[in-house]
Amino acid sequence: MHTAEIRRRFLAHFENAGHTVVPSAPLLFDDPNLLFVNAGMVPFKPYFLGQETPPWNTATSVQKCVRTLDIEEVGKTTRHGTFFQMNGNFSFGDYFKEGAITHAWGLITNAVEDGGLGIDPDTIWVTVLHTDQEAREIWKRVAGLPDERIQDRGLLDNYWHMGVPGPGGPCSEIYVDRGPEHGADGGPVVDEDRFLEIWNLVFMQEEITNVQAKDRFDVLGELPNKNIDTGMGLERVAYLLQGKQNLYEIDEVFPVIEKASEISGRTYGKDRTDDVRFRVIADHVRSGLMLMGDGVTPGNEARGYVLRRLLRRAVRSMRLLGYEDPALPELLPVSLERMKASYPELEADFPRIAQIAYAEEDAFRQTLGKGTQIFETAATAVKDKGGSALSGDQAFTLHDTYGFPIDITLEMASEQGLTVDEEGFRALMAEQRSRAKADAKSKKGSHADTTVYRAALDANGPTDWQAYTTLTTESRVLGLIAEGGGVPALGAGAIGEVVLDRTPFYAESGGQHADAGHLQWDGGRAEVLDVQRPVRGLVVHQVRVLDGELTLDTTVEAAVDPEWRLGARQAHSGTHVVHAALREVLGPTALQSGSYNRPGYLRLDYGWSGALSPDQLHGVEEASNRALRADLPVTAQTMSLPEARELGALALFGETYGEDVRVVEIGGPWSRELCGGTHVERSSQIGTVVITSDGSVGAGNRRVEALTGLEGFAYLARERDVVRQLTDLLKTQPEDVPARVQDLLERLKAAEKAADKIKAAQLLGAAGDVAASAKDIGGVAYVGHHATGAGGGDVRTIALDIRKRLGDRPAVVVVIGDAGDKPAAVVALNEPAQSRGLSANDLIKVVGDKIGGRGGGKADVAQGGGTDVSAIPSALAAVEAALGA
């Protein structure tokens, strides 16, 4: 049975039982504690925590999930995969244990022709919490399971909670006996390889507190509404029903292995090491496809770094299998063919996905080239000093600066007979992660303690948010927060947070900066510094009290700065215009991947693999301003998410949308996007769009920046002033400025070349005197010369000229220049000196050790550089000493 068919049967089973089918949430979810959705219940957390009222009594979903903790284990076991799909059914105060068990038993044991999965009831075992006699009795009554196939387990295995105070409860896990060839008899408590867990039914019935570990917490009491949360691993069920040995061999994964085997010439199933590589490729290609499909782009931080690591591990595994050509163009389309049955949107979006993935592989191939050179230099230095290990610092630099994976460093070091200080490397990695975590925590909204905000939401309900309809409201102060806790008042000069019953302020979201403005009350005034939504439904204003004292229950006038709001509307609508213009000029794959806007300024990240030409950039700006001149209507309407998708509205990757969404149109289909921001009423009100820059922000991703409104006109005025100043200085017309500047640059270059020739002639003119000053050291003529002001090319010319002047006697010439405050050294030996066993390659190392650098070459000529100009005299003396030794 194909994986997509198992998925379809699961949803149909529960839909027929009255459950609402909820589409999978994107892998990027608005939970600050998660990089990606990692469990089927994550989108339902607000309902289980009591933060929101569920819109349905029962629901079912197949949720896309990614877990990243076990990336290193992928391919080594049958269970570890990064991307997986979790089938789930949920009850919010509706049915409980008996309903959950009945639904599960029916699906897994019903005949295939009746819509079930057709699993033999005699192969099914279950576990229950050792104190949950009720669940045991239900299994016996509903399924007819004998006592010996219902096994007791403790809290560690059969109790579920979120790791924090809140809901929890016992669970019952369903296992299938795969047969004696897979392990010992005796049920899951004896062998969980033979007895494969496929489904976990969580009976959420208690409120817990004082959570210290999975099996150490206190129970406060029964929940008023008992909930059901279940999770069935789709891939596990697939490899069970398809008769496979592991998740890598199911129909949605194995075709990638087959393709990798075909193009690499290696056979899957013959070699343990190769098999691990094949599995890594299959898992990572599929995971990368799904992540890019949900808007993740490769980068050096957080989600982007995970994707980059997955794609690069897949590419490297192909190289280790002997395949040197670009691999992702061969493998990614194969994964698409298998996944599009369940996720048809992948096919429509594949041009963008492919562009990002292939650009990342190209970048990695270049990285491998650069990193290999850096590694070779580091390895040579270690060997020259008699060492046998690459330091943790060197390995970290290769990883952090050049993107060189540690496992490649380990492999290449081994090939050269070297080891790597892995402990030192991992310590530096840990330091970096600690800094990153500390930085993330310092940023607003990241992993913050939201207890005080949840308390405010519970006490007062959601904020009446009126940002779309007005700039002022009469509001009541419901809460005051300072230093993480509630306070009764904020005095003059104090900075704190204010919760109002209603507000006209736009809270930062969707890339739009928060509104600015004031709160005013009888006897006082406060400046609004920031507006956020720390928990869903609650708007919180950060303020600085300018006058008076702000206390609870005070009635205030909340007023948005109208000029600020106008500028914000222009910039946000301008972002939509630039996005549409990019797609008009570059094509439909130039999709927005992120944005930020504030009054007068916008930046937009979009998927594109190469720099835009001046003509393309001009075209985007021109298309944007044509839309402004056309005075296109800007409208917003609310509709269901399926309706919006059918209409063709573009969603911003990384944003999470509810059942109902807001669609903003500029000129109808020309620009149609899901958006919660504030906008102008007609495109002409944006004023102008002036593109100021376009640059790369990672492989396959670029960023365009622009100014709108008065800020755009001010920028153009400044450019006009610069042109006017240039025309005055050059005594020419504006249109002739580029040609005049080009002429000046060419004349300047010519003058610099002439000056260089004069300088070189002067340096060479002194070469005769320098050669005449040669010292005799054991029958070798030695010249050590500090060429003041000379660069690398001049230094070589001088050294070779002096060597020639010294004739046929054994001669060693060392010339070190100091142009740009960086030593440049050349050692030149003639044939008689070399016949005495002397080598320029050896002597340049003596120089390098002194000037803080290195070099190399042949026995007759070697050159190098350094960092310490002050050490030039000691370097010349060191060579003299070496010759006399």
Side-chain angles (χ1 to χ4, degrees):
M1 188 181 294
H2 285 169
T3 306
E5 176 61 13
I6 299 169
R7 177 183 187 274
R8 187 199 66 77
R9 285 172 180 257
F10 182 90
L11 293 175
H13 176 79
F14 283 100
E15 185 174 25
N16 291 336
H19 294 60
T20 299
V21 176
V22 179
S24 173
L27 286 164
L28 287 70
F29 198 66
D30 61 347
D31 187 324
N33 297 300
L34 296 175
L35 274 179
F36 307 108
V37 173
N38 62 359
M41 57 77 61
V42 167
F44 301 94
K45 274 173 66 174
Y47 310 133
F48 290 131
L49 290 169
Q51 297 163 3
E52 295 181 26
T53 301
W56 347 264
N57 292 331
T58 59
T60 185
S61 71
V62 177
Q63 175 61 47
K64 297 178 286 187
C65 302
V66 165
R67 290 182 183 169
T68 59
L69 293 178
D70 298 321
I71 287 179
E72 298 292 345
E73 297 303 314
V74 169
K76 298 176 183 177
T77 74
T78 61
R79 298 183 179 181
H80 289 97
T82 43
F83 173 80
F84 61 97
Q85 299 159 88
M86 187 62 74
N87 300 345
N89 59 285
F90 309 92
S91 168
F92 307 100
D94 194 271
Y95 61 81
F96 197 47
K97 290 182 184 178
E98 183 153 353
I101 290 171
T102 301
H103 286 311
W105 183 256
L107 175 62
I108 61 179
T109 62
N110 283 349
V112 171
E113 54 269 25
D114 294 330
L117 300 181
I119 297 175
D120 183 355
D122 292 336
T123 65
I124 296 173
W125 294 59
V126 300
T127 61
V128 296
L129 185 65
H130 61 90
T131 58
D132 193 358
Q133 188 63 30
E134 179 186 8
R136 172 179 285 275
E137 293 301 320
I138 293 172
W139 275 114
K140 291 166 65 176
R141 184 172 65 254
V142 169
L145 288 179
D147 278 319
E148 60 269 21
R149 298 221 312 268
I150 306 172
Q151 297 188 317
D152 290 340
R153 281 190 156 176
L155 293 170
L156 203 59
D157 293 299
N158 276 67
Y159 194 95
W160 177 92
H161 58 76
M162 295 185 188
V164 296
C171 56
S172 180
E173 296 175 326
I174 303 174
Y175 294 79
V176 176
D177 182 0
R178 297 199 291 161
E181 66 274 20
H182 293 282
D185 200 358
V189 298
V190 172
D191 189 333
E192 288 200 6
D193 283 327
R194 170 174 171 173
F195 297 88
L196 181 70
E197 180 203 338
I198 62 168
W199 207 339
N200 186 16
L201 314 179
V202 177
F203 310 132
M204 214 176 294
Q205 64 189 51
E206 296 167 338
E207 183 179 1
I208 64 171
T209 188
N210 192 28
V211 181
Q212 301 172 53
K214 195 171 187 301
D215 58 346
R216 284 191 293 141
F217 52 84
D218 296 328
V219 177
L220 286 178
E222 294 283 310
L223 290 171
N225 289 319
K226 294 179 172 62
N227 302 320
I228 289 293
D229 159 29
T230 85
M232 170 195 268
L234 180 55
E235 282 77 8
R236 284 197 181 187
V237 176
Y239 81 74
L240 179 73
L241 295 184
Q242 292 172 19
K244 305 300 182 182
Q245 297 302 308
N246 55 64
L247 65 87
Y248 308 104
E249 297 177 8
I250 65 173
D251 63 304
E252 285 190 348
V253 182
F254 193 65
V256 174
I257 291 179
E258 290 180 310
K259 185 65 176 180
S261 175
E262 173 193 327
I263 63 178
S264 69
R266 303 281 184 93
T267 302
Y268 179 71
K270 281 193 173 183
D271 179 85
R272 161 74 180 168
T273 301
D274 281 358
D275 286 354
V276 170
R277 290 167 182 161
F278 278 121
R279 292 168 181 170
V280 165
I281 292 162
D283 173 88
H284 289 5
V285 166
R286 185 171 79 137
S287 300
L289 171 69
M290 301 308 294
L291 286 169
M292 289 183 287
D294 276 355
V296 184
T297 54
N300 290 327
E301 296 180 1
R303 293 160 170 161
Y305 179 70
V306 172
L307 174 59
R308 170 161 288 167
R309 189 178 178 202
L310 292 172
L311 293 177
R312 292 188 171 192
R313 276 172 58 88
V315 170
R316 178 177 174 268
S317 295
M318 285 299 299
R319 291 171 71 90
L320 292 174
L321 289 172
Y323 188 76
E324 298 286 338
D325 294 331
L328 293 181
E330 299 288 341
L331 302 174
L332 204 63
V334 177
S335 189
L336 169 70
E337 282 301 311
R338 305 313 302 176
M339 298 307 297
K340 69 182 184 182
S342 295
Y343 305 99
E345 65 273 13
L346 289 172
E347 186 168 32
D349 201 24
F350 193 69
R352 179 190 65 85
I353 294 169
Q355 186 179 68
I356 292 169
Y358 304 162
E360 177 63 18
E361 180 170 11
D362 289 343
F364 183 47
R365 289 165 64 84
Q366 294 175 21
T367 291
L368 285 173
K370 293 177 185 176
T372 299
Q373 293 176 359
I374 301 298
F375 171 84
E376 293 291 348
T377 301
T380 300
V382 169
K383 289 180 177 179
D384 287 347
K385 293 179 180 178
S388 62
L390 210 64
S391 71
D393 184 61
Q394 289 170 309
F396 180 76
T397 299
L398 279 165
H399 166 84
D400 194 52
T401 305
Y402 301 100
F404 218 54
I406 182 61
D407 43 359
I408 295 183
T409 302
L410 290 169
E411 181 179 325
M412 292 178 65
S414 176
E415 290 170 355
Q416 298 215 18
L418 298 174
T419 59
V420 178
D421 178 11
E422 289 188 70
E423 188 174 331
F425 168 79
R426 302 201 186 283
L428 289 168
M429 285 294 292
E431 274 182 41
Q432 186 188 61
R433 289 192 190 101
S434 296
R435 287 194 300 271
K437 286 180 181 178
D439 180 59
K441 286 183 178 180
S442 71
K443 295 176 181 176
K444 59 190 175 187
S446 296
H447 302 273
D449 182 358
T450 59
T451 304
V452 66
Y453 304 116
R454 297 198 187 285
L457 182 63
D458 291 341
N460 305 295
T463 306
D464 181 7
W465 188 61
Q466 300 184 11
Y468 293 148
T469 56
T470 183
L471 295 178
T472 60
T473 59
E474 184 178 281
S475 308
R476 186 165 64 91
V477 177
L478 301 178
L480 297 170
I481 301 166
E483 297 182 357
V487 294
L490 294 173
I495 294 179
E497 293 175 300
V498 181
V499 179
L500 302 174
D501 62 343
R502 66 180 60 87
T503 182
F505 284 88
Y506 184 85
E508 180 178 352
S509 65
Q512 181 174 333
H513 199 282
D515 277 335
H518 291 85
L519 304 183
Q520 193 143 351
W521 63 96
D522 187 15
R525 192 164 181 263
E527 176 188 9
V528 176
L529 306 174
D530 192 14
V531 190
Q532 295 290 324
R533 295 179 184 269
V535 294
R536 196 178 299 178
L538 190 73
V539 177
V540 177
H541 313 71
Q542 185 187 60
V543 305
R544 178 190 289 114
V545 178
L546 303 176
D547 301 297
E549 182 180 61
L550 183 59
T551 59
L552 290 170
D553 289 324
T554 299
T555 298
V556 302
E557 180 189 58
V560 176
D561 181 338
E563 287 299 315
W564 178 281
R565 173 65 73 81
L566 174 60
R569 292 164 63 205
Q570 290 174 319
H572 201 150
S573 296
T575 306
H576 287 226
V577 165
V578 172
H579 186 203
L582 279 166
R583 289 167 55 77
E584 181 179 308
V585 172
L586 302 179
T589 61
L591 279 171
Q592 178 178 339
S593 58
S595 69
Y596 171 76
N597 54 80
R598 62 174 187 267
Y601 167 84
L602 68 90
R603 71 169 186 245
L604 185 146
D605 296 346
Y606 62 101
W608 198 252
S609 58
L612 268 62
S613 68
D615 285 346
Q616 286 174 318
L617 207 57
H618 177 73
V620 173
E621 187 176 74
E622 183 178 343
S624 298
N625 284 294
R626 278 203 314 268
L628 271 57
R629 186 178 65 180
D631 195 28
L632 302 173
V634 181
T635 61
Q637 56 181 319
T638 300
M639 62 185 70
S640 70
L641 186 57
E643 287 174 332
R645 285 176 173 155
E646 187 175 345
L647 193 62
L650 297 175
L652 176 62
F653 290 120
E655 289 292 312
T656 301
Y657 301 99
E659 290 292 300
D660 292 324
V661 294
R662 185 168 178 258
V663 177
V664 173
E665 294 183 341
I666 300 178
W670 187 74
S671 171
R672 183 177 283 148
E673 300 187 30
L674 304 188
C675 181
T678 59
H679 289 274
V680 297
E681 295 171 355
R682 302 192 70 85
S683 62
S684 61
Q685 294 171 351
I686 297 170
T688 188
V689 171
V690 180
I691 293 178
T692 58
S693 73
D694 173 71
S696 172
V697 287
N701 232 7
R702 298 193 67 77
R703 172 174 293 171
V704 64
E705 295 181 277
L707 299 174
T708 59
L710 285 176
E711 287 79 0
F713 287 116
Y715 179 88
L716 294 174
R718 289 193 299 273
E719 286 202 328
R720 180 190 60 200
D721 291 342
V722 169
V723 173
R724 182 182 295 126
Q725 292 175 45
L726 287 172
T727 58
D728 290 344
L729 287 170
L730 299 173
K731 309 297 185 197
T732 190
Q733 296 300 311
E735 60 270 20
D736 296 329
V737 166
R740 286 297 306 274
V741 171
Q742 182 66 33
D743 178 59
L744 288 173
L745 287 173
E746 289 174 357
R747 290 163 63 184
L748 178 60
K749 287 179 182 177
E752 288 174 342
K753 285 183 179 179
D756 287 342
K757 286 182 179 179
I758 294 171
K759 178 182 173 183
Q762 291 173 337
L763 290 170
L764 289 173
D769 294 338
V770 174
S773 67
K775 295 180 181 180
D776 184 277
I777 302 175
V780 175
Y782 170 62
V783 173
H785 177 55
H786 180 175
T788 304
D794 292 334
V795 167
R796 185 181 180 90
T797 301
I798 295 167
L800 295 177
D801 185 70
I802 293 173
R803 183 183 68 175
K804 181 179 179 181
R805 291 172 186 265
L806 291 174
D808 295 332
R809 54 179 170 159
V812 172
V813 179
V814 180
V815 180
I816 308 178
D818 58 12
D821 289 330
K822 286 188 176 181
V826 171
V827 178
L829 277 65
N830 60 11
E831 183 63 36
Q834 294 173 57
S835 66
R836 290 197 173 198
L838 298 174
S839 169
N841 194 42
D842 293 336
L843 293 175
I844 195 67
K845 293 173 183 175
V846 175
V847 175
D849 286 343
K850 293 295 183 181
I851 62 176
R854 58 186 299 107
K858 298 180 180 179
D860 61 337
V861 180
Q863 61 189 46
T867 58
D868 187 0
V869 171
S870 67
I872 291 176
S874 63
L876 297 172
V879 176
E880 183 175 340
L883 292 173

